Structures are given as C-alpha cells and as structure tokens.
Amino acid sequence: AGLGEIRIRDLNDEINKLLREKGHWEYRIKELGGPDYARIGPKMLDHEGKEVPGNRGYKYFGAAKDLPGVRELFEKEPLPPPRKTRAELMKDIDAEYYGYRDEDDGILEPLEQEHEKKVIAEAVEKWKMEREARLARGEEEEEENIYAVHEEESDEEGGKEREGEDGQQKFIAHVPVPTQQEIEEALVRRKKMELLQKYASETLLAQSEEAKTLLGL
C-alpha cells in the first residue's frame, strides 16, 4: 500500500497483461489437443485464500483492491427491507384509516356547517335576485306544485285513480294490479306444477306435454 496509487495501478495492469498472455497460451494448447487448463486449472487465490476479485475479466491484487473506486465495485448491496405480510399491513387499518373519525376532532364539523350555511345563503340570494328580475319584467308565474299528479300523465301510464267517499284522492296505481282471484289461480297452477315435477315420471311428463300440444294449450 506504500507504493502509491499510480505505482499500484501500473503493477496491477502488468499482472493482468501477463494473465491475458497466459490465457492465450492455454487456448493454443487446447487447440493443439492438449488439456484445457482454463477449465481444470486451479483458481487464483489471494494471501487470505479467497478468490481474487475481478470485474469483466480484470483482476485486482493486493493493495489494488483498496484503491479509490475499486472497493465500491465489490461492496455487497444492502439487503432490501423485508416486505410486510398482509396480516401486518391489516393491523394498521382501522376506522380512522377510512376517515370515519374525521369529525371526532371537533374541527371539521363546524367548518362544514359554516360552509353549508354560506352556500345556502348564496343560493337563496341568487333565487331572490332572479325572482325580483322576473317580477320587474312581469313574468311572474304561479309556482308549480311538484307533488301534484296530472290526469293526462296518469292516463298515459295506465294508472287507476281511486277516491274515497269524501272525494279525496287516495293513491294512484301506475301498473296493472292483479285481483285476488287471479293471484289464487296463479298459486294453484304453481302448486300443481311443483307436484307434477316431483312425482311424475319423465314419460308421463312427455305425454302430458304432447297432449297439451295436441289440444293447443
């Protein structure tokens, strides 16, 4: 390490140059039918018995491993933090996570009420201004009763209006309502079909269907 950075780099480059020449000779020996020393040869170890570190075929020996920029090449990256399991993540999820306790602090609710009053006041003021403008133009009309049911609309929808003895409207049916007799007949037919499907054989069912077809039922 006392040789200095420049001298250490020069010596390390010279060693790698000799290693490349050695590799060429090993490749030539293999071409001539000799053993493959690159595969069966011993590994290069340092004085600690560890394999000599390298990067893209370039090896670093001795003090060259501690040169600036070289140590960072062989430092192991820190392991990533372990991922939390689904059960661990669910521990932190409660009512507050979903915002159900936002109003418990006593701050949000008064702010919302104040904003609501402001919005309502602005809407009322706008309606008054529009109403005064219509009055000034003589365009005031009687306010429409949104709860009233017009006779034309009920007739178009097939509704039936029923009135009591005092002539007051009770309710309006907008769909055809079956009578009690029709409901009882439908229940009887349904019960017959359930019993037939439960106890009749497949042959009897087929004969029944054929008879219905012949009778046009």
Side-chain angles (χ1 to χ4, degrees):
L3 295 177
E5 179 181 349
I6 298 177
R7 180 58 179 163
I8 292 174
R9 290 185 183 276
D10 290 342
L11 289 175
N12 202 76
D13 289 342
E14 185 176 351
I15 294 174
N16 277 273
K17 180 179 179 182
L18 294 174
L19 288 176
R20 285 195 299 272
E21 184 178 353
K22 175 174 176 288
H24 295 326
W25 282 112
E26 290 174 349
Y27 180 75
R28 180 58 178 163
I29 292 173
K30 181 182 177 182
E31 280 186 337
L32 297 175
D36 187 0
Y37 290 106
R39 184 172 61 85
I40 64 175
K43 295 182 179 180
M44 287 182 293
L45 305 177
D46 57 11
H47 64 283
E48 297 179 354
K50 298 179 181 179
E51 187 175 1
V52 177
N55 184 31
R56 297 182 180 179
Y58 188 89
K59 300 290 184 179
Y60 293 93
F61 300 89
K65 294 182 291 185
D66 298 326
L67 292 174
V70 177
R71 182 181 296 274
E72 290 78 1
L73 294 175
F74 309 108
E75 288 182 352
K76 295 183 179 180
E77 296 183 359
L79 296 176
R83 297 183 60 182
K84 292 185 177 181
T85 62
R86 186 177 183 85
E88 292 175 343
L89 294 174
M90 293 299 293
K91 289 180 180 179
D92 300 330
I93 297 179
D94 51 10
E96 187 174 358
Y97 174 83
Y98 292 103
Y100 294 145
R101 298 178 182 172
D102 290 348
E103 299 178 356
D104 295 349
D105 55 3
I107 300 176
L108 181 61
E109 189 171 358
L111 294 175
E112 290 179 345
Q113 293 177 354
E114 182 179 355
H115 182 70
E116 183 179 2
K117 292 178 181 179
K118 182 179 178 181
V119 172
I120 293 176
E122 292 177 354
V124 172
E125 186 66 23
K126 181 180 179 181
W127 175 80
K128 288 181 178 180
M129 293 178 61
E130 293 178 353
R131 185 170 181 271
E132 291 176 358
R134 289 196 302 269
L135 286 173
R137 296 193 301 267
E139 298 178 357
E140 180 63 19
E141 298 179 356
E142 184 179 356
E143 294 184 358
E144 181 182 0
N145 184 6
I146 61 174
Y147 299 104
V149 179
H150 300 288
E151 184 178 357
E152 297 177 356
E153 295 179 357
S154 66
D155 291 342
E156 292 176 358
E157 296 177 0
K160 296 181 181 179
E161 180 176 346
R162 297 185 180 180
E163 297 183 359
E165 295 178 357
D166 53 357
Q168 294 182 354
Q169 177 180 335
K170 287 188 175 180
F171 69 92
I172 295 177
H174 296 280
V175 294
V177 179
T179 62
Q180 184 67 23
Q181 183 179 358
E182 292 175 346
I183 295 176
E184 292 177 356
E185 292 177 356
L187 291 174
V188 171
R189 287 196 301 269
R190 181 178 178 182
K191 192 64 177 178
K192 287 181 178 179
M193 290 301 298
E194 290 178 356
L195 293 174
L196 186 62
Q197 293 177 358
K198 186 175 181 181
Y199 297 105
S201 63
E202 295 182 358
T203 305
L204 184 58
L205 287 174
Q207 293 176 355
S208 177
E209 293 295 333
E210 184 178 358
K212 289 182 179 180
T213 304
L214 293 176
L215 294 175
L217 298 179

